[in-house]
Amino acid sequence: MTSFEIPEQQWAQVVEKKGGPVVFKQIPVQKPGPDEVLINVKYSGVCHTDLHAMKGDWPLDTKLPLVGGHEGAGIVVAKGELVTEVEIGDRAGIKWLNGSCLACSFCMQADEPLCPHALLSGYTVDGSFQQYAIAKAAHVAKIPKECDLEAVAPVLCAGITVYKGLKESGARPGQWVAIVGAGGGLGSMAIQYANAMGLRAIAIDGGEEKGKNCRELGAKAYVDFTTSKDLVADVKAATPEGLGPHAVILLAVSEGPFHQAVEYVRPRGTIICIGLPAGAYFKAPVFDTVIRMITIKGSYVGNRQDTQEAIDFFARGLVKAPFKTVGLSKLQEVYDLMEEGKIVGRYVVDTSK
């Protein structure tokens, strides 16, 4: 059996108080419980959720002190005595859903993200912005040996989340889907998953750089909200017959785009809410929603099967996460760029730096 030398101390980024900033410091390496594994995290993607966790601006309490992060890719270096499905030396990923009870009605129907006892990486339990992290063995993502750990890290949240949202939309091959916030980390992957699923993507975001990136990733049209004089009309015009997209994937981090989607989605279309702007509400006219038969749904993270399907798209080369890698010590700088809206694609942190 493969064995690894595990240190007693490790480097981590720790949120010590609500609002941050993160503190780069050494903390103890934890030991896995009976049903857990210890993963030597090599790389971790940085998600907008991590910024919310640091700021504490969601209506869900975080643990403090907190190690954030939920896109951790690495190697299993230790496991509990009850773990049989994962071996030491396996490649594995830490996702947003760190664990669930596996016994409630939600878990038994493959809706484990809705488990009332769910453990959330980098939020209610420590996550992947550390060199060694704990996760429930039943919920770790199994990463094929041919996958590059640095490149696959963003799939563990961004990829799984948008893939799940596209599945929830019910859009069929050949149909049109608008992706709002298409130039960000989730959006850049949503375009690719849409293409891989046979859908036609309309990217909506702001700025020429994001537009160029979206087109290179395969978007059939790009609508720039910073220059468009009538965004609703422009989105509709990008579709055949000008009826609007069959589905809208809302990844926006502000409230306005959520209200606007009702105006341009196609009759009998579906609006999927994924982005979580702090304190936001979704408002839609009842009359239009009824007579146009519009469906409005929330889509959370994927289950275990969704996870493996999303990783399989990546393993087959159908999806690539545009990313830039920096050292774990630079995490606060990434958060600053995120708050300024200056990130195109995804940032990944290397835990060795």
Side-chain angles (χ1 to χ4, degrees):
M1 180 184 291
T2 305
S3 62
F4 294 86
E5 185 175 342
I6 301 170
E8 294 185 0
Q9 295 285 315
Q10 61 170 329
W11 286 99
Q13 287 280 13
V14 184
V15 179
E16 297 186 329
K17 61 181 180 179
K18 182 178 178 179
V22 288
V23 179
F24 190 52
K25 61 187 289 189
Q26 285 198 309
I27 63 172
V29 174
Q30 303 298 311
K31 290 181 171 56
D35 61 345
E36 295 175 334
V37 294
L38 178 67
I39 296 176
N40 177 200
V41 179
K42 301 297 186 181
Y43 299 96
S44 180
V46 184
C47 177
H48 211 275
T49 296
D50 300 316
L51 179 61
H52 286 293
M54 182 187 75
K55 295 172 70 175
D57 58 6
W58 277 355
L60 176 65
D61 290 337
T62 62
K63 75 178 286 290
L64 285 175
L66 172 71
V67 176
H70 56 274
E71 293 182 351
I75 309 294
V76 175
V77 295
K79 67 175 187 173
E81 62 268 24
L82 299 180
V83 177
T84 58
E85 65 270 38
V86 180
E87 297 297 333
I88 293 174
D90 284 356
R91 289 164 164 244
I94 292 174
K95 310 174 284 133
W96 172 248
L97 187 64
N98 191 283
S100 71
C101 74
L102 301 178
C104 69
S105 59
F106 293 113
C107 286
M108 293 179 69
Q109 296 180 75
D111 276 329
E112 53 264 31
L114 302 180
C115 175
H117 308 292
L119 304 175
L120 308 178
S121 300
Y123 208 95
T124 63
V125 297
D126 287 337
S128 55
F129 293 149
Q130 56 184 332
Q131 294 173 314
Y132 292 86
I134 296 287
K136 296 293 185 182
H139 283 281
V140 296
K142 297 177 181 179
I143 300 175
K145 291 181 179 180
E146 65 268 23
C147 290
D148 180 76
L149 292 177
E150 184 178 10
V152 78
V155 175
L156 300 174
C157 174
I160 295 166
T161 299
V162 297
Y163 174 63
K164 177 68 169 179
L166 288 164
K167 287 178 68 175
E168 288 288 332
S169 78
R172 299 190 298 274
Q175 293 185 333
W176 292 78
V177 55
I179 299 169
V180 186
L186 273 74
S188 60
M189 300 202 72
I191 293 170
Q192 296 177 79
Y193 275 104
N195 289 337
M197 296 166 73
L199 304 172
R200 302 176 184 181
I202 301 168
I204 303 173
D205 215 311
E208 291 183 11
E209 184 183 2
K210 288 185 176 181
K212 180 176 181 290
N213 184 58
C214 289
R215 290 189 186 93
E216 289 176 350
L217 291 174
K220 305 303 181 188
Y222 177 68
V223 178
D224 188 337
F225 70 80
T226 65
T227 59
S228 174
K229 295 179 179 179
D230 188 338
L231 186 139
V232 171
D234 289 345
V235 174
K236 286 185 174 183
T239 64
E241 302 176 334
L243 295 175
H246 299 81
V248 181
I249 307 296
L250 287 163
L251 309 172
V253 293
S254 60
E255 184 175 310
F258 285 75
H259 304 162
Q260 206 168 33
V262 181
E263 299 180 47
Y264 60 71
V265 70
R266 186 186 187 94
R268 199 181 270 281
T270 301
I271 297 171
I272 300 293
C273 304
I274 295 177
L276 293 169
Y281 284 84
F282 193 113
K283 297 178 182 179
V286 174
F287 186 83
D288 278 1
T289 303
V290 172
I291 66 167
R292 293 173 57 216
M293 300 180 69
I294 296 169
T295 300
I296 301 171
K297 300 172 67 175
S299 180
Y300 194 26
V301 293
N303 61 26
R304 288 171 289 172
Q305 181 61 33
D306 296 322
T307 296
Q308 295 312 135
E309 290 174 6
I311 291 174
D312 182 63
F313 274 99
F314 176 86
R316 289 188 285 146
L318 298 174
V319 172
K320 295 180 181 178
F323 67 91
K324 179 178 181 180
T325 303
V326 297
L328 178 61
S329 61
K330 304 294 185 182
L331 180 62
Q332 185 59 50
E333 295 176 22
V334 177
Y335 285 159
D336 293 341
L337 290 171
M338 194 175 282
E339 289 211 82
E340 295 167 7
K342 294 182 178 179
I343 291 180
V344 177
R346 202 73 159 176
Y347 265 82
V348 170
V349 293
D350 180 341
T351 66
S352 69
K353 300 178 181 178

